[in-house]
Amino acid sequence: MHTPFTGVLLLPDSPVLGSTSTVTTDDGLPVATIRRRVWSSRRRFEILDATGTALLAAGAQAGFWGNKYELMGPQSEFLLSLKFGGWTGPSGRGVVSLPDGRSLATKGNWTAREFTITDEAGSPVAELHTRGGLFALGQNLAFELRTPVLSVVQAIGLAQCIRAAVESASAAAA
């Protein structure tokens, strides 16, 4: 869960009822459970093991302006942060900071549900996109990690941070 990973992770959309969902690999193997704090003002979420019992990481909006999100391990260790520009929000460019000092860039469009993550040289590292029909129930976000830069926990956390930023921007626009 904490070693660099390549492959596909499927992250279900927020369930209509309830606040937990199971993350699987492309072949259906459960790897983690996401628990969203539905009534949280900071868009809090937790990543649990596949059984839903052991905490692997927790994430939330950080800072005053709402354009930064952080993912922390169970002992409050820094796993990553995601910061978007103040004017563009999640549909513009974002910067992902990793514990080893490296940074990644995000660029995407939530309406189209397409995000690209690149390394410092601009090479693609991962893509986050929808897998399922436009009006299908239970659409999954597919996070395709092409190079071993993020762990499973970091990848799930990054996808959830992007989702939380979009939900926050949508709520602010309403």
Side-chain angles (χ1 to χ4, degrees):
M1 295 298 289
H2 296 284
T3 59
F5 174 79
T6 57
V8 177
L9 297 171
L10 299 178
L11 300 103
D13 267 349
S14 299
V16 177
L17 298 172
S19 61
T20 63
S21 56
T22 302
V23 178
T24 63
T25 58
D26 202 22
D27 61 2
L29 177 69
V31 292
T33 301
I34 301 168
R35 180 169 48 203
R36 294 169 191 85
R37 299 298 180 178
V38 179
W39 302 109
S40 168
S41 63
R42 308 292 271 156
R43 307 286 175 192
R44 296 181 195 280
F45 63 89
E46 295 164 343
I47 302 169
L48 308 168
D49 66 356
T51 65
T53 55
L55 178 67
L56 302 175
Q61 190 177 47
F64 180 74
W65 299 107
N67 63 342
K68 183 176 180 183
Y69 295 80
E70 291 182 340
L71 182 69
M72 306 297 277
Q75 306 301 319
S76 296
E77 64 273 20
F78 175 75
L79 297 178
L80 66 79
S81 69
L82 171 63
K83 185 173 184 180
F84 291 104
W87 297 107
T88 60
S91 289
R93 296 187 185 275
V95 176
V96 180
S97 299
L98 300 174
D100 62 6
R102 291 181 298 163
S103 63
L104 304 173
T106 68
K107 183 175 187 214
N109 179 331
W110 186 258
T111 304
R113 293 198 171 200
E114 296 288 333
F115 279 85
T116 302
I117 294 90
T118 57
D119 63 16
E120 293 162 329
S123 299
V125 169
E127 288 184 0
L128 181 65
H129 56 86
T130 299
R131 185 173 285 183
L134 181 61
F135 298 106
L137 291 176
Q139 287 182 336
N140 289 318
L141 291 178
F143 202 2
E144 297 184 34
L145 296 123
R146 296 181 178 163
T147 59
V149 175
L150 299 170
S151 70
V152 170
V153 172
Q154 287 174 314
I156 294 168
L158 178 56
Q160 285 304 118
C161 287
I162 292 170
R163 178 179 278 158
V166 170
E167 290 171 355
S168 181
S170 296

